[in-house]
Structure formats: structure tokens, C-alpha cells
């Protein structure tokens, strides 16, 4: 057992990206023999998995009086009372993720009062430095469970045999760029093509229901003036079982998401681990593992996020992403169309890239992420002791 105790403060029971990442980091540290306590861990979701039950067990662990205490804060940095935290813990580490070239202004004062920051990608470290973060910034990557996400998973039945299926998984928000994805698909593929697009998505509140999302998409198609019969679009909205989501990835011949910004992009990791190549914007945290060998990259221009929000069909989070000095990627529509058409016309190439993606993801494990997190924690402890 480690000579220090880690207190992980984050939503480790959530089924979203931050919940999955936090839970996997904690599990990896636990397997490495780090004395981890979770706080808080409330019953907010199904406890059907052993990992979630373990989170509750780790939450019941007491604080160890004789061990140095390391707080890993996996929440918005400005929400921690640093003065109070300093009274309880010997070291403060922020675990953060961000999607534009600069972090929100109200994050900075608190971040520089932590002892260190852990981020999951090169793009994130650059954003931190450009924003004025002066404390050490360590890259601690995410991982993917290649046993759970693998090419042998049963495919979700969507299209007739022989049709080329594009798939996409994202929350229904402007940053994910549903506008460009839908427009590219509608304009490039007609009913004459043996192609289809399956989107797995969900909103952020009860008002953003499946019916609301379908209405927004229908209104957008009408606004674009698209009157010809397009290739089929299938929508899977709301919550879905892990088995269904895994079946979405393996059903696809190519995964496509012209995102404007990603801190990591868990769906990219999951798709590649499932043997399905990715069509993605060539900028963001996912560029640490999305390559020309396993994917199709779409060129882009860095632009202020507010520029495209007037035509958003989904939630924009303007208060976070429309601040002065922030930029993110606007992928080129015509290039996206070309990449989708190229993938459609070359299914063998898609399979080749998918196999390469599967091999590449064998290195992107949560065990590797746990080692990186453990190293960041121990470097922080050693660095502060030398002061």
C-alpha cells in the first residue's frame, strides 16, 4: 500500500465521460496499490457493475491520520475552496479537461493555487499554458477497455446487408457539430447511394428529449432547403445500454464526428478499439491517438466559437465557449463530404484502417493511464518536499 492516501473528489458513479474517466482512474490507482478514498460517491445511477460497487466501498474508507493526504479534484477548478482544502490535505492536484485554445477566465486564479494539474492530452497542456497556468501540468491520458470494446461485439441491426453505415456517438451540443455532420451527409448521399447514417445522441435535460432533438434536426433540414430524397438517417436518442452502444460501433463501417473541440474524445477511442475507423476533425485532444493510419482527417480553421453559435441547432454553452481569446476548429464542409465519400467508395480501406486502430488502441489502456496518474502524484509530492 502506498505511503500516501489519495482522496478522489469527482462524480465517479456517472455514466458520462467524466464519470467513466474518474472511475477508471480510481480503479487503476487501486490496482497499483495506491490507498484511494473516494469522496463523495452518491447513489445517482445504476450500481449494476462491480466497478460502481467498488466506488461505494472506497467511499466508506476512513482518512488515515498518519499518511500524507493528496486531494485529486476532478471537478470544475473554481468550485474548490482552496483555503479550506489546504487545512485538510497536504497536496492539491486538479484533474481537468478542456476543449478550446484557452480555459475559462474564472478557472485561472484557483488553478494556480493547486500544486499541479493533470490533463489528458497535448492540446490540453498547450491550452493551460497559453491561459497563464504556471503550476506543473502533467499529461495523464485516458484509456479504453479493449475487452469491452472489440470487433466481435454483436452489431446493432440498422441497415440491410451490403449498405455502408456511418455511425456517430455524441451529446447533442454545438461543440460536437451536428450541423456540419448532418449537412455533409444530406448533401453528399442521396437515396441512390447504399449508405445510411446512425446517430446515437442525447440532450442535457428532460426538455431536450428525443422528440425535441428530432424536431430540431427536421427544422434544420428544412432551413437548408434540402428537398431531394436523402440517404436514410437513423436516430437513437436518450439513454442506451452499454451493450447497445458497443453494437453501434461495430455496426458502423466508419465512425464520423466533425467535432469543433475535444479534450480527449472517448467515442473515438471506443470506435477504434472496436475496429471501426474514424472520420474526424484534425484538431483537438483526440489527435494524440487519431492518425492518418487509422482514420480519415478533415482539415479545419481555428475560429472564435461564438462565430457559429447563431446557427446552432443544439445547446451551445455560450458562457463557457464564447469568451475572449478562445478558438476552436471549424472543419471544412466540402472536405468532410470528400472524406465520407472516399470511405464509402473504399470499404476495404476502412477495414484496413479499422484493424490498425484496433492494434493502436492496445497501448491506450487504463492501466497505462493509472501509471501516469501515479507518477504525476508522486512527482508532485517529491517536488513540494524539495521546496
Amino acid at each position: 500500500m502506498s505511503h500516501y492516501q489519495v482522496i478522489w473528489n469527482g462524480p465517479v458513479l456517472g455514466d458520462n465521460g467524466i464519470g467513466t474517466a474518474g472511475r477508471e482512474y480510481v480503479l487503476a490507482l487501486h490496482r497499483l496499490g495506491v490507498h484511494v478514498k473516494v469522496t463523495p460517491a452518491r447513489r445517482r445511477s445504476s450500481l449494476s457493475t462491480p466497478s460502481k460497487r467498488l466506488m461505494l466501498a472506497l467511499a466508506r474508507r476512513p482518512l488515515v491520520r498518519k499518511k500524507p493526504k493528496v486531494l485529486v479534484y476532478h471537478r470544475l477548478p473554481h468550485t474548490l475552496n482552496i483555503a479550506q482544502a489546504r487545512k485538510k490535505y497536504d497536496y492539491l492536484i486538479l484533474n481537468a479537461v478542456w476543449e478550446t485554445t484557452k480555459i475559462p477566465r474564472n478557472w485561472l486564479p484557483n488553478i494556480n493555487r493547486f500544486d499541479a494539474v493533470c490533463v489528458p492530452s497535448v492540446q490540453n497542456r498547450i491550452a493551460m499554458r497559453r491561459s497563464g497556468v504556471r503550476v506543473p501540468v502533467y499529461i495523464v491520458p485516458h484509456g479504453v477497455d479493449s475487452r469491452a470494446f472489440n470487433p466481435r461485439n454483436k452489431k446493432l441491426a440498422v441497415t440491410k446487408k451490403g449498405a455502408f453505415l456511418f455511425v456517430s456517438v455524441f451529446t447533442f451540443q454545438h461543440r460536437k457539430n451536428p450541423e456540419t455532420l448532418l449537412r455533409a451527409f444530406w448533401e453528399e448521399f442521396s437515396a441512390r447511394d447504399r449508405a445510411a447514417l446512425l446517430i446515437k445522441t442525447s440532450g442535457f435535460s428532460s426538455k431536450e428529449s428525443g422528440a425535441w432533438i428530432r424536431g430540431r434536426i427536421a427544422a434544420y433540414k428544412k432551413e437548408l432547403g434540402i428537398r431531394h430524397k436523402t440517404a436514410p438517417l437513423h436516430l437513437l436518442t436518450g439513454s442506451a445500454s452499454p451493450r447497445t452502444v458497443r453494437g453501434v460501433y461495430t455496426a458502423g463501417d466508419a465512425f464520423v464526428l466533425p467535432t469543433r473541440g475535444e479534450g480527449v474524445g472517448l467515442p473515438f477511442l471506443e470506435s477504434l478499439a472496436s475496429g471501426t475507423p474514424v472520420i474526424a476533425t484534425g484538431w483537438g485532444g483526440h489527435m494524440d491517438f487519431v492518425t492518418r493510419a487509422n482514420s480519415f482527417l478533415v482539415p479545419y480553421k481555428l475560429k472564435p466559437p461564438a462565430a457559429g453559435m447563431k446557427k446552432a441547432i443544439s445547446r451551445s454553452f455560450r458562457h463557457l465557449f464564447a469568451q475572449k481569446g478562445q478558438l476552436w476548429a471549424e472543419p471544412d464542409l466540402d472536405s468532410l463530404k470528400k472524406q465520407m465519400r472516399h470511405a464509402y467508395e473504399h470499404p476495404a480501406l476502412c477495414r484496413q484502417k479499422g484493424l490498425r486502430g484496433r492494434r493502436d488502441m492496445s497501448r491506450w489502456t487504463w492501466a497505462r493511464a493509472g501509471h501516469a496518474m501515479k507518477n504525476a502524484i508522486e512527482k508532485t509530492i517529491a517536488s513540494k518536499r524539495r521546496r
Side-chain angles (χ1 to χ4, degrees):
M1 192 68 70
S2 59
H3 69 276
Y4 55 87
Q5 183 179 29
V6 169
I7 296 85
W8 189 282
N9 189 320
V12 294
L13 294 182
D15 293 317
N16 55 5
I18 188 173
T20 298
R23 192 161 55 250
E24 293 291 349
Y25 281 134
V26 169
L27 290 170
L29 290 172
H30 180 67
R31 288 192 295 266
L32 289 170
V34 175
H35 192 145
V36 187
K37 174 179 172 58
V38 172
T39 180
R42 301 186 180 93
R43 289 178 177 266
R44 291 183 176 175
S45 62
S46 169
L47 298 177
S48 59
T49 64
S51 63
K52 289 184 180 180
R53 290 193 289 272
L54 180 57
M55 292 303 104
L56 289 181
L58 295 180
R60 291 192 292 269
R61 275 185 163 177
L63 291 172
V64 180
R65 295 179 63 183
K66 294 184 178 180
K67 288 188 176 184
K69 296 170 186 61
V70 182
L71 174 68
V72 178
Y73 196 68
H74 195 195
R75 299 181 185 275
L76 297 178
H78 65 286
T79 61
L80 180 66
N81 186 315
I82 298 289
Q84 288 184 6
R86 287 289 180 197
K87 295 176 182 178
K88 294 178 62 177
Y89 309 107
D90 300 285
Y91 308 93
L92 305 181
I93 297 176
L94 174 68
N95 190 46
V97 62
W98 192 242
E99 296 91 1
T100 71
T101 56
K102 284 190 174 182
I103 62 175
R105 290 187 299 272
N106 62 338
W107 284 20
L108 187 59
N110 246 22
I111 287 184
N112 279 325
R113 297 172 69 193
F114 282 83
D115 296 308
V117 180
C118 293
V119 296
S121 63
V122 171
Q123 183 270 330
N124 271 211
R125 183 167 63 183
I126 292 171
M128 289 284 173
R129 290 301 183 212
R130 284 178 175 171
S131 301
V133 173
R134 299 186 302 274
V135 298
V137 180
Y138 299 106
I139 294 180
V140 178
H142 280 193
V144 62
D145 185 347
S146 292
R147 291 173 299 179
F149 295 95
N150 71 80
R152 297 183 300 278
N153 286 332
K154 185 178 179 181
K155 298 179 180 182
L156 188 69
V158 180
T159 59
K160 295 180 180 179
K161 189 175 181 180
F164 189 100
L165 181 64
F166 296 99
V167 297
S168 196
V169 177
F170 58 90
T171 51
F172 200 62
Q173 59 173 307
H174 180 63
R175 177 171 62 84
K176 299 292 185 176
N177 204 1
E179 301 90 353
T180 300
L181 170 59
L182 290 165
R183 183 175 178 181
F185 179 71
W186 286 330
E187 292 182 354
E188 184 63 27
F189 296 97
S190 71
R192 294 189 300 273
D193 294 297
R194 291 180 58 80
L197 170 62
L198 168 63
I199 295 177
K200 164 66 185 80
T201 191
S202 58
F204 292 88
S205 69
S206 58
K207 292 182 180 179
E208 296 177 3
S209 63
W212 180 83
I213 291 171
R214 292 171 190 275
R216 298 290 290 175
I217 289 174
Y220 180 56
K221 189 174 187 180
K222 184 177 180 180
E223 178 187 326
L224 291 174
I226 295 175
R227 294 182 175 84
H228 66 270
K229 190 173 182 181
T230 60
L233 169 65
H234 305 279
L235 293 174
L236 183 60
T237 60
S239 60
S241 69
R243 183 178 180 181
T244 296
V245 174
R246 293 193 292 266
V248 168
Y249 291 122
T250 51
D253 295 284
F255 179 95
V256 56
L257 184 61
T259 178
R260 293 179 165 103
E262 297 291 332
V264 181
L266 276 175
F268 293 132
L269 284 165
E270 293 167 353
S271 181
L272 291 171
S274 301
T276 303
V278 164
I279 303 173
T281 312
W283 182 86
H286 56 283
M287 292 305 294
D288 288 4
F289 54 88
V290 170
T291 69
R292 294 188 184 278
N294 61 34
S295 301
F296 303 86
L297 300 181
V298 180
Y300 63 91
K301 290 183 179 179
L302 289 178
K303 294 183 178 181
M309 288 182 179
K310 294 178 181 178
K311 297 184 178 180
I313 66 171
S314 53
R315 192 180 291 211
S316 62
F317 295 98
R318 178 177 287 270
H319 65 291
L320 293 173
F321 297 123
Q323 296 186 14
K324 184 178 180 181
Q326 289 181 327
L327 301 172
W328 66 16
E330 286 293 343
D332 183 79
L333 174 64
D334 288 336
S335 296
L336 174 60
K337 291 180 187 178
K338 290 177 182 177
Q339 291 288 36
M340 293 178 73
R341 175 62 66 176
H342 186 64
Y344 170 77
E345 292 178 348
H346 297 86
L349 177 61
C350 289
R351 290 191 290 272
Q352 177 186 325
K353 286 179 178 285
L355 289 171
R356 176 60 183 268
R358 174 68 181 172
R359 290 198 302 270
D360 291 346
M361 292 308 100
S362 65
R363 295 188 304 107
W364 287 80
T365 64
W366 284 111
R368 172 175 173 259
H371 279 287
M373 181 64 73
K374 185 173 182 285
N375 288 338
I377 291 168
E378 293 177 356
K379 284 182 179 179
T380 302
I381 292 172
S383 176
K384 194 171 182 182
R385 283 178 174 175
R386 288 195 298 267
R387 293 176 194 170

